[in-house]
Amino acid sequence: MTNDQLMREAIRLSRENIANGGGPFGAVIARDGEIIATGVNRVTAENDPTAHAEVSAIRRAAQVLGTFNLSGCEIFTSCEPCPMCLGAIYWAHIDKVYYANTKDDAKAIGFDDSFIYDELALPRDGRKLPAEAMMRNEAIKAFEEWAAKEDKTEY
């Protein structure tokens, strides 16, 4: 499939998902022009705040391919990814992102994630969501064990 066909599929999924009780977002993960997995936004339908189209497509692609590393794949998404989805795309090692609607388009219909970008730029003690570090002396042991582990799978 061409890039245009793959994006049209992401857009079609986004529109179909509205009729199925979900949000207006769709995503396609492809490798060499072949669809590996798709995803749609099911946040309200499944009561799962992480059920964004991109995250759902990444989860399916990882299962299909049997790996957490999606190098060699590209993602086509009906809207510019939010911070959570962008983070997931980076963690999945996807080669390239193609998007249709922009984050400003999403903001215009009530999907505004700019506050997250704003919060991340603030020092921890200046953020709206209180966060308190605790028990680091105990928790650091797991990191020390991981660092010393010789047969770990890096990601």
Side-chain angles (χ1 to χ4, degrees), residues 22-81:
F25 303 96
V28 171
I29 294 179
R31 185 171 58 191
D32 300 323
E34 179 183 334
I35 294 176
I36 304 298
T38 64
V40 293
N41 181 291
R42 303 302 291 166
V43 170
T44 58
E46 297 178 6
N47 294 315
D48 179 354
T50 69
H52 288 204
E54 298 91 336
V55 171
S56 297
I58 288 168
R59 289 174 179 159
R60 287 188 186 99
Q63 289 175 344
V64 167
L65 297 175
T67 180
F68 58 84
N69 186 328
L70 301 181
S71 295
C73 294
E74 298 175 323
I75 189 165
F76 296 78
T77 181
S78 64
C79 186
E80 187 174 1

Side-chain angles (χ1 to χ4, degrees), residues 58-109:
I58 288 168
R59 289 174 179 159
R60 287 188 186 99
Q63 289 175 344
V64 167
L65 297 175
T67 180
F68 58 84
N69 186 328
L70 301 181
S71 295
C73 294
E74 298 175 323
I75 189 165
F76 296 78
T77 181
S78 64
C79 186
E80 187 174 1
C82 75
M84 176 184 70
C85 292
L86 189 58
I89 289 165
Y90 273 103
W91 280 115
H93 304 285
I94 291 174
D95 291 357
K96 189 168 184 177
V97 178
Y98 297 90
Y99 61 91
N101 293 317
T102 68
K103 63 183 180 178
D104 294 323
D105 296 328
K107 181 178 181 176
I109 63 164

